[in-house]
């Protein structure tokens, strides 16, 4: 009986330390900012989400799908071409303004189309350096996608309303960072003090987002 009571108290105490953070991301005009990568850093001890070992990015209808993917360093990324014609994949660290930081270091793949009974061309790569990567195609210059390698296990994309919820954070001090594909300057991090249970935060950025012409974004790790 005593052992069961102690176990119950420990479990209750552990659950009480979990914090959920609801975040609203705004652009420079105070409007909801969709497809923003939001990351929370915490040095407080506690359980961390386990990152998936693999993610897939598909080239389909002249688009990268998902348009934005968030992964952990070292995740195996499978690129697959589902169009009937060939594509390239160019992947490299991205700087402000949507340019490659060092084109000479870009990963470049050629994926065959699936026409004539061929299976979709598929290649896999992993990326260990954290930060945003720009995805493109030599053959089709309008194709653009983004891959964000997050150095924190708490990372998620904002929805069309600019909102998201990150659950299971440790109670205590944390830092919130925001990245967006259209940003020209790095957004300043926001320091918050998380309490057990629900927390709310509004982050205003200096981003002016361009009209989105890409497929819906994907979230990780939730």
């Amino acid at each position: 009986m005593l052992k069961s009571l102690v176990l119950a108290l420990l479990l209750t105490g552990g659950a009480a330390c979990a914090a959920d953070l609801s975040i609203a991301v705004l652009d420079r005009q105070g409007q909801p900012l969709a497809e923003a990568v939001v990351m929370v850093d915490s040095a407080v001890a506690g359980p961390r989400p386990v990152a998936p070992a693999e993610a897939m990015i598909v080239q389909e209808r002249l688009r990268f799908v998902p348009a934005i993917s968030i992964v952990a360093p070292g995740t195996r990324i499978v690129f697959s071409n589902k169009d009937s014609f060939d594509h390239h994949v160019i992947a490299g660290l991205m700087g402000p303004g949507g340019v490659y930081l060092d084109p000479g270091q870009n990963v470049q793949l050629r994926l065959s189309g699936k026409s004539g009974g061929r299976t979709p061309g598929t290649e896999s790569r992993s990326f260990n350096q954290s930060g945003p990567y720009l995805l493109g195609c030599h053959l089709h210059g309008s194709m653009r996608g983004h891959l964000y390698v997050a150095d924190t296990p708490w990372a998620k994309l904002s929805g069309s309303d600019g909102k998201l919820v990150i659950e299971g954070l440790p109670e205590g001090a944390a830092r919130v960072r925001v990245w967006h594909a259209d940003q020209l300057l790095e957004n300043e991090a926001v320091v918050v003090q998380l309490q057990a249970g629900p927390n709310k935060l509004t982050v205003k950025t200096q981003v002016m987002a361009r009209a989105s012409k890409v497929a819906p974004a994907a979230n990780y790790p939730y």
Side-chain angles (χ1 to χ4, degrees):
M1 174 73 75
L2 180 60
K3 185 180 294 185
S4 299
L5 179 60
V6 170
L7 178 60
L9 288 172
L10 287 173
L11 292 174
T12 303
C17 291
D20 298 335
L21 181 57
S22 299
I23 303 172
V25 187
L26 307 178
D27 66 14
R28 65 186 300 176
Q29 295 181 331
Q31 298 302 308
L33 183 61
E35 297 183 329
V37 176
V38 180
M39 295 161 281
V40 180
D41 305 305
S42 175
V44 179
R48 265 56 177 166
V50 178
E54 183 176 290
M56 175 169 281
I57 298 175
V58 172
Q59 292 172 304
E60 188 173 20
R61 297 182 180 179
L62 293 173
R63 295 180 176 183
F64 287 95
V65 183
I68 305 173
S69 298
I70 306 175
V71 300
T75 301
R76 180 173 179 260
I77 312 296
V78 179
F79 295 95
S80 181
N81 176 14
K82 291 190 176 180
D83 282 328
S84 59
F85 38 83
D86 289 4
H87 281 306
H88 271 103
V89 175
I90 314 166
L93 283 167
M94 175 181 166
V99 298
Y100 291 108
L101 284 178
D102 186 355
Q105 298 298 314
N106 289 352
V107 170
Q108 300 199 36
L109 309 170
R110 180 155 183 156
L111 302 180
S112 60
K114 63 172 185 176
S115 63
R118 293 182 298 178
T119 57
T122 301
E123 294 278 356
S124 64
R125 292 291 188 276
S126 60
F127 302 87
N128 293 314
Q129 186 169 345
S130 60
Y133 288 75
L134 177 62
L135 305 177
C137 174
H138 273 314
L139 300 176
H140 308 95
S142 64
M143 291 181 64
R144 289 171 66 89
H146 297 89
L147 171 71
Y148 200 100
V149 179
D151 57 3
T152 172
W154 294 291
K156 198 170 183 180
L157 283 164
S158 62
S160 59
D161 58 357
K163 296 180 180 179
L164 66 145
V165 179
I166 296 182
E167 301 174 323
L169 292 159
E171 183 181 7
R175 183 179 66 151
V176 178
R177 293 175 287 151
V178 176
W179 176 87
H180 193 275
D182 293 333
Q183 72 183 39
L184 299 177
L185 298 172
E186 186 173 348
N187 295 297
E188 186 174 350
V190 178
V191 176
V192 295
Q193 188 71 29
L194 299 175
Q195 306 296 325
N199 298 261
K200 290 186 177 181
L201 176 68
T202 297
V203 180
K204 186 173 182 180
T205 70
Q206 294 302 308
V207 177
M208 273 303 297
R210 293 171 292 187
S212 177
K213 296 181 180 179
V214 294
N219 289 322
Y220 157 78
Y222 304 95

